[in-house]
Amino acid sequence: MSHSFLPVIAIHGGAGTLSRANISPEQELAYHAALQAVLHAGQAVLEQGGSAMEAVCVAVQGLEDCPLFNAGHGAVFTADGTHELDAAVMDGATLAAGAVAGVTRVRNPVLAARAVMQDGQHVLMIGDGAERLAGAAGLDLVEPGYFSTEARRAQLQAAQASAAGAVLDHDGAAALADRPLHEGRKMGTVGAVALDAQGHLAAATSTGGLTNKRPGRVGDTPLIGAGTYADDRTAAVSCTGHGESFIRVAAAHDLCARMAYGGLSLQAAAAAVVHGALPAIGGSGGLIAVDRYGNVCLPFNTEGMYRGVARVGQAPESFIYR
Ligand code: ASP
């Protein structure tokens, strides 16, 4: 059954602290160009009658493949100098969900999460078992070095130097100083939420996690209800920020619950989470959300968040700062 609301997709590429003083117009443009390309790709899926699930997977796959964002190629390093990637998808029509955590060889973790959902037996798979399922589903497996970039390695060195009380490594800082959001203090998950022409919602989120995290640490991203949630009766939500805080307040589900039980609008529910529940425990970050009427909300309590929105038939818009 079709409905009268314009299909829409929203995306994010992480929230964090600004480093506007260091940023050249070219670098800022590079981020906008990347966000716009991903919005166009997601919008095209919706325009052609594709599902919200297809649209969010295409968008997140594009963000994973782009080295500017902390997911897939360009993901951050753990304290051991490795990559452990997390991702999740959720279908608002059926509440079907799939997620992977701590994968090291799946080129596009979001597609592995979708494969877990499609397999249908489990919701969350970790490590080697998740990779075997992804391989059996025909997904690309890569050498771990595929995810590494020099900029991220420098970021790890800088984080380790400052954690050890040493002077911030100048090479490390310099390698990332030209990005619009301060990389040392930026959380860098990517995500997408969408409403399709059938009136269905979906959400997808993917991340390398936090720079210098302990190996084995899992954040909010692959936890259904924390970093990712979708329910056609309320909203689709994808979060970015300090994952431990988002887990503790069950952020994505909390937003939907405030709508379902409290009758709040999307905007009021999102504000209560991002400007209420999260800061109350020191949680910084933001989220993107869309409801079944196509209302979109992109709140954050940091200085900036890479983000954008595209409605079918309208020019995509991308934003970095407030
Ligand atoms: N939420 C992610 C995590 O804690 C990080 C991020 O959003 O950048 O793993």
Side-chain angles (χ1 to χ4, degrees), residues 190-219:
V190 307
V193 295
L195 168 72
D196 64 27
Q198 305 305 309
H200 296 311
L201 299 173
T205 316
S206 179
T207 191
L210 302 177
T211 298
N212 202 27
K213 67 184 179 181
R214 281 182 201 269
R217 177 265 188 189
V218 176

Side-chain angles (χ1 to χ4, degrees), residues 7-320:
V8 59
I9 183 163
I11 62 171
H12 71 78
T17 308
L18 304 187
S19 57
R20 207 181 239 164
N22 299 316
I23 181 76
S24 72
E26 293 74 41
Q27 282 131 358
E28 206 171 310
L29 277 177
Y31 275 86
H32 279 291
L35 292 169
Q36 292 273 338
V38 166
L39 286 167
H40 276 289
Q43 187 185 42
V45 172
L46 295 173
E47 231 150 35
Q48 289 151 22
S51 68
M53 177 57 68
E54 285 169 60
V56 295
C57 287
V58 162
V60 169
Q61 192 180 350
L63 291 161
E64 285 178 341
D65 289 344
C66 175
L68 295 177
F69 303 105
N70 166 22
H73 179 53
V76 298
F77 285 92
T78 68
D80 282 359
T82 55
H83 302 284
E84 294 182 355
L85 311 170
D86 303 333
V89 299
M90 187 157 181
D91 180 348
T94 58
L95 303 190
V100 295
V103 294
T104 60
R105 296 190 308 129
V106 183
R107 179 188 159 121
N108 289 108
V110 71
L111 300 184
R114 189 174 62 179
V116 171
M117 182 186 77
Q118 286 169 340
D119 177 69
Q121 193 181 357
H122 304 301
V123 170
L124 173 58
M125 307 246 336
I126 63 166
D128 182 55
E131 278 158 7
R132 276 190 276 155
L133 185 144
L139 300 181
D140 283 354
L141 299 179
V142 293
E143 290 303 313
Y146 162 79
F147 302 109
S148 306
T149 60
E150 277 320 302
R152 293 294 180 201
R153 197 178 296 283
Q155 185 181 6
L156 173 66
Q157 285 160 359
Q160 291 184 332
S162 65
V167 179
L168 195 69
D169 174 74
H170 276 290
D171 295 337
L176 294 147
D178 57 353
R179 302 193 179 198
L181 296 187
H182 192 293
E183 285 292 326
R185 278 169 281 155
K186 171 184 166 289
M187 281 80 60
T189 293
V190 307
V193 295
L195 168 72
D196 64 27
Q198 305 305 309
H200 296 311
L201 299 173
T205 316
S206 179
T207 191
L210 302 177
T211 298
N212 202 27
K213 67 184 179 181
R214 281 182 201 269
R217 177 265 188 189
V218 176
D220 60 314
T221 298
L223 302 185
I224 299 302
T228 308
Y229 203 74
D231 183 340
D232 276 5
R233 294 167 295 185
T234 52
V237 186
S238 171
C239 301
T240 171
H242 182 247
E244 282 69 10
S245 306
F246 283 73
I247 294 171
R248 289 165 58 204
V249 303
H253 184 265
D254 186 40
L255 189 160
C256 294
R258 287 172 191 269
M259 294 177 73
Y261 313 150
L264 265 58
S265 67
L266 178 79
Q267 189 151 2
V273 174
V274 173
H275 302 299
L278 283 166
I281 58 163
S284 60
L287 57 82
I288 56 172
V290 57
D291 70 13
R292 59 197 176 123
Y293 307 111
N295 295 308
V296 170
C297 194
L298 317 166
F300 48 97
N301 60 31
T302 52
E303 291 173 48
M305 179 168 84
Y306 298 116
R307 62 200 187 280
V309 53
R311 290 180 195 281
V312 161
Q314 297 179 9
E317 292 182 291
S318 55
F319 313 90
I320 300 175

